[in-house]
Amino acid sequence: MTTPDSPAAPEAPQPQKDHGRAGRDLPAAITSAVVLIAAILLSLFFWKTAFMGIVAAAVAVAVWELHRGLSAKDIDIPEQPLMAGGVVMVVVAYFWGAPALVTATAVTALVIMLWLLRRGVEGYVKNATASVFTLVYVPFLASFVALLLGEGGTSPAFALDTDDLGVRGVITFIAITVASDTGGYIAGVLFGKHPMAPVISPKKSWEGFAGSVVATVAVGVFLVTSFLDGDWWVGVILGLIAAAMATLGDLCESVIKRDLGIKDMSQVIPGHGGLMDRLDSLLATVAPIWLVLYYLVF
């Protein structure tokens, strides 16, 4: 009991809600996922160029999240040139292809290094290195989505009225990567007993990885044969690559967050955390999936 003259007792910290083995707020996570998927499909089916706007916006948000996370280690990357250069990289990749993307990436890297010269000598190597890492990790890898979509041409006509290989390729890429995350998540929750990398990601298990492989191969074979008119074995290759690369992307993102001492990159997506927490596997899978589809299907 406190008296008017005694100091108020400190409030007890609010306990965090336990989401069980799922590890997340599933209703919020499902709602967010449905909204994101709906926005992606609507843009792809009705005006695919608008999808490039979504990709460009995602690049800008991801750069902001990395700037925010890296600042925990006193690393200050220049947001403005990274965002601007990232958007340019996505646009030129879509309209002019891989050579333009390589050129835009090199120019953006040089501009960033020149931009950092204004700050002086102290911390230059640290900030420049982190900036180029961010440039490759987010805008460069994200631009492969633009390359994939551009395989169907860049006409402003509504994609719903065309047999667009680019749209089909992007849907295949997203579906296979989502299958990896979903299959791994379900198998990990139900059967996970043997940690894959306990120091990096304690909840990731070998049983979950097996679930990822099964899901990605099944979805890959189905979509390549029925949606892209390709050979079944291409679907198997896509599935195996997607499972391996998506897992690698997730582990790399976990390492980055552990090194920075943060749990999530941000809280911009309810139930999921930051955008980078959702993009990690997509960024890791898109380049090899584009390569396989480019040479073996398109």
Side-chain angles (χ1 to χ4, degrees):
M1 181 176 180
T2 60
T3 65
D5 297 326
S6 62
E11 294 184 2
Q14 294 294 327
Q16 293 186 345
K17 188 175 181 179
D18 182 13
H19 298 298
R21 296 189 69 182
R24 66 177 69 171
D25 185 349
L26 282 181
I30 293 172
T31 301
S32 299
V34 169
V35 172
L36 290 172
I37 292 172
I40 290 170
L41 292 179
L42 287 173
S43 63
L44 283 173
F45 283 137
F46 290 99
W47 187 31
K48 71 175 190 175
T49 305
F51 177 67
M52 286 297 92
I54 295 177
V55 175
V59 165
V61 173
V63 168
W64 169 77
E65 286 187 343
L66 278 174
H67 176 269
R68 179 175 177 271
L70 290 169
S71 64
K73 291 292 185 178
D74 197 29
I75 301 173
D76 186 13
I77 61 175
E79 287 182 283
Q80 293 82 2
L82 274 168
M83 289 180 180
V87 171
V88 170
M89 288 162 61
V90 169
V91 171
V92 300
Y94 177 61
F95 286 105
W96 295 290
L101 170 59
V102 172
T103 303
T105 303
V107 171
T108 302
L110 291 171
V111 169
I112 288 170
M113 287 188 284
L114 289 172
W115 186 284
L116 289 172
L117 284 176
R118 304 183 310 160
R119 300 180 182 177
V121 176
E122 185 67 27
Y124 180 83
V125 173
K126 176 178 65 175
N127 293 326
T129 302
S131 298
V132 175
F133 164 76
T134 301
L135 181 71
V136 174
Y137 186 32
V138 179
F140 181 72
L141 291 180
S143 294
F144 279 87
V145 181
L147 292 178
L148 189 56
L149 186 62
E151 293 297 331
T154 57
S155 170
F158 293 142
L160 186 64
D161 301 326
T162 64
D163 185 16
D164 196 305
L165 276 179
V167 171
R168 294 187 177 205
V170 170
I171 292 175
T172 299
F173 144 66
I174 294 175
I176 291 177
T177 307
V178 170
S180 175
D181 289 345
T182 305
Y185 176 74
I186 293 174
V189 169
L190 295 178
F191 310 111
K193 293 182 179 179
H194 300 87
M196 177 180 288
V199 175
I200 299 173
S201 183
K203 292 185 179 181
K204 189 168 292 296
S205 65
W206 286 107
E207 290 83 1
F209 179 68
S212 293
V213 172
V214 171
T216 53
V217 169
V219 172
V221 170
F222 172 75
L223 289 178
V224 169
T225 56
S226 64
F227 199 47
L228 297 177
D229 296 324
D231 297 319
W232 66 270
W233 53 270
V234 177
V236 174
I237 292 175
L238 281 182
L240 294 175
I241 289 175
M245 296 306 296
T247 302
L248 177 62
D250 187 57
L251 288 174
C252 288
E253 180 72 7
S254 296
V255 168
I256 292 171
K257 290 188 293 186
R258 284 188 175 275
D259 186 30
L260 297 177
I262 57 178
K263 184 179 184 299
D264 294 314
M265 284 295 184
S266 73
Q267 295 294 330
V268 297
I269 307 178
H272 290 273
L275 184 62
M276 280 300 299
D277 299 304
R278 296 300 94 201
L279 290 181
D280 49 11
S281 54
L282 291 167
L283 290 173
T285 58
V286 62
I289 286 179
W290 170 78
L291 190 66
V292 171
L293 292 179
Y294 182 81
Y295 283 106
L296 299 181
V297 176
F298 298 152

